């Protein structure tokens, strides 16, 4: 008999969200200006969900190999305090974050989309990915969102967790811009 919990059962255990940026909070595209600035686009619906989760008392951490300070500014504006940019060893950053906040890996939902996310996704309680993640990431994910990266995949998983915890409804006054 299989004692492993189903995806829906694991939602109740989640206290912490950890997200990659490029391909998860963005669609993975970069617009490069003539000055060399790299611009990304994020979903306002994902932003609302992130702010709602912060306001509901969930832990949120960003671990990204990218180092765009505009990303930090946007996410900080949503109330996210733990943002690791330029992270080339995501396991090290995850362990530091979890240790600093006394969080168990079993209580973590991580959403990644590409090979650099693979090692850290193998460690957490609930590895998830957007619909357009690479096959290797889909193969280890316990949940694959029906939404693509940057197009509501983050909102999808946050909304599901908050609904299971009965913290989604009634918090529609969150400021998310």
């Amino acid at each position: 008999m299989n004692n492993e919990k189903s995806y829906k059962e694991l939602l109740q255990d989640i206290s912490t969200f950890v997200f990659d940026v490029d391909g998860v909070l963005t669609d993975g595209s970069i617009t490069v200006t003539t000055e060399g600035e790299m611009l990304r686009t994020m979903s306002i619906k994902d932003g609302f969900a992130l702010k709602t989760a912060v306001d509901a008392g969930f832990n949120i951490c960003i671990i990204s190999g990218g180092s765009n300070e505009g990303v930090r500014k946007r996410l900080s504006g949503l109330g996210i305090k733990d943002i690791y940019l330029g992270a080339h060893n995501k396991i090290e950053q995850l362990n530091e974050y979890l240790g600093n906040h006394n969080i168990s890996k079993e209580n973590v939902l991580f959403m990644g989309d590409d090979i650099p996310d693979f090692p850290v996704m193998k460690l957490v309680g609930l590895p998830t990915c957007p619909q357009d993640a690479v096959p290797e990431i889909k193969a280890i994910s316990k949940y694959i969102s029906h939404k693509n990266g940057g197009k509501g995949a983050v909102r999808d998983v946050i909304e599901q967790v908050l609904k299971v915890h009965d913290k989604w409804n009634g918090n529609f006054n969150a400021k998310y811009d």
Side-chain angles (χ1 to χ4, degrees):
M1 180 166 178
N2 185 353
N3 289 334
E4 194 168 320
K5 288 184 176 183
S6 73
Y7 161 70
K8 289 288 189 181
E9 291 172 315
L10 290 170
L11 295 177
Q12 187 63 47
D13 297 335
I14 300 304
S15 66
T16 303
F17 297 97
V18 181
F19 297 106
D20 178 33
V21 174
D22 292 319
V24 173
L25 283 163
T26 76
D27 67 4
S29 299
I30 298 174
T31 301
V32 181
T33 67
T34 55
E35 293 82 24
E37 185 177 4
M38 292 182 267
L39 306 175
R40 292 159 173 84
T41 301
M42 294 183 176
S43 167
I44 203 81
K45 291 178 182 171
D46 287 346
F48 174 79
L50 287 163
K51 179 65 174 153
T52 301
V54 166
D55 290 349
F58 284 81
N59 305 305
I60 298 183
C61 178
I62 305 299
I63 303 176
S64 176
S67 56
N68 184 295
E69 286 301 315
V71 168
R72 183 185 311 277
K73 185 174 181 182
R74 163 70 177 146
L75 297 172
S76 294
L78 296 172
I80 300 170
K81 295 177 176 62
D82 298 287
I83 302 169
Y84 297 91
L85 300 180
H88 300 294
N89 182 347
K90 293 185 179 188
I91 291 174
E92 184 179 303
Q93 299 302 322
L94 177 71
N95 286 335
E96 177 183 316
Y97 172 73
L98 297 180
N100 288 345
H101 297 280
N102 197 27
I103 299 167
S104 171
K105 291 176 184 170
E106 292 76 33
N107 301 118
V108 175
L109 178 153
F110 185 98
M111 181 174 270
D113 72 304
D114 209 343
I115 300 302
D117 302 314
F118 190 95
V120 74
M121 288 178 70
K122 296 284 285 181
L123 298 177
V124 301
L126 185 51
T128 67
C129 68
Q131 176 61 41
D132 58 347
V134 300
E136 295 88 348
I137 295 299
K138 286 182 171 183
I140 63 167
S141 292
K142 292 184 181 176
Y143 176 73
I144 300 170
S145 176
H146 62 285
K147 301 281 190 175
N148 285 343
K151 305 293 183 187
V154 168
R155 162 96 179 230
D156 175 30
V157 294
I158 290 175
E159 188 173 333
Q160 288 187 60
V161 170
L162 268 61
K163 283 181 176 178
V164 165
H165 288 265
D166 198 27
K167 293 190 175 185
W168 182 252
N169 294 327
N171 188 16
F172 294 111
N173 294 320
K175 294 178 184 168
Y176 63 94
D177 49 32

